[in-house]
Amino acid sequence: MDKFMKIAIEEARLGINSGHGGPFGCVIVRDGEVVGKGHNEVIKRSDPTCHGEVMAIRNACQNLGTYDLTGCELYTTAEPCPMCRGAILWANIRKVYFGCNIADTDKIGFRDKVFYEGEHNFSAELDRAECLEVFEEYRDMKDKKHY
């Protein structure tokens, strides 16, 4: 067994045994060293965004003092959902290793599959002109960050 996946599995067990959420544990590694870890804390924090990958990204960013995890790899017990995939991309993580796939997640009662299928028409454009003003203010600022 891979040593980093073993840590992710331990993290998942910590979460489920503590009643924090589902069996999703994650570690982030840079240059062969663990720089962040986390597990699902959706139930503990009453927050649907507290997936294992997101918690590990937050932990790694805090530990490294940066929002840019370029050069890092992520190990997780399950294939990342679309939200986590987005967070992984925003963090610039270069490689993801996962244990269980979406079908496995579905078999234990999680609804990840629905996020990969069909249309979800719950958004609509509103007050674009006013929002563009804010975007233009940002565009014209000096020393801005694009994250």
Side-chain angles (χ1 to χ4, degrees):
M1 174 184 293
D2 181 89
K3 68 179 182 178
F4 297 121
M5 186 59 80
K6 184 177 180 182
I7 298 168
I9 291 168
E10 291 169 1
E11 200 55 38
R13 283 195 172 113
L14 172 65
I16 62 172
N17 291 329
S18 300
H20 294 172
F24 309 107
C26 183
V27 296
I28 298 176
V29 177
R30 179 183 277 168
D31 299 325
E33 298 292 325
V34 173
V35 296
K37 59 185 178 176
H39 58 265
N40 184 293
E41 295 188 32
V42 168
I43 293 170
K44 176 185 178 184
R45 297 179 184 265
S46 299
D47 182 342
T49 68
C50 291
H51 289 197
E53 296 90 340
V54 171
M55 301 308 289
I57 289 169
R58 290 174 181 165
N59 184 247
C61 289
Q62 182 179 25
N63 291 339
L64 297 173
T66 184
Y67 55 83
D68 185 358
L69 299 179
T70 295
C72 291
E73 296 179 334
L74 184 145
Y75 295 76
T76 183
T77 56
E79 187 171 355
C81 73
M83 177 186 71
C84 292
R85 291 169 85 123
I88 289 163
L89 290 169
W90 279 112
N92 293 314
I93 293 171
R94 68 177 176 201
K95 184 74 175 178
V96 173
Y97 300 96
F98 63 88
C100 297
N101 61 38
I102 295 163
D104 299 323
T105 305
D106 186 60
K107 288 177 187 173
I108 63 167
F110 288 85
R111 61 189 178 105
D112 292 35
K113 192 174 179 184
V114 71
F115 297 103
Y116 294 92
E117 300 172 341
E119 292 289 321
H120 303 282
N121 294 320
F122 55 80
S123 63
E125 189 175 288
L126 179 67
D127 294 328
R128 181 171 179 257
E130 291 80 4
C131 294
L132 280 172
E133 289 177 20
V134 176
F135 275 39
E136 290 166 2
E137 288 172 31
Y138 179 79
R139 180 196 63 213
D140 296 340
M141 290 174 63
K142 293 181 185 347
D143 302 320
K144 62 184 168 270
K145 304 278 186 191
H146 288 287
Y147 272 88

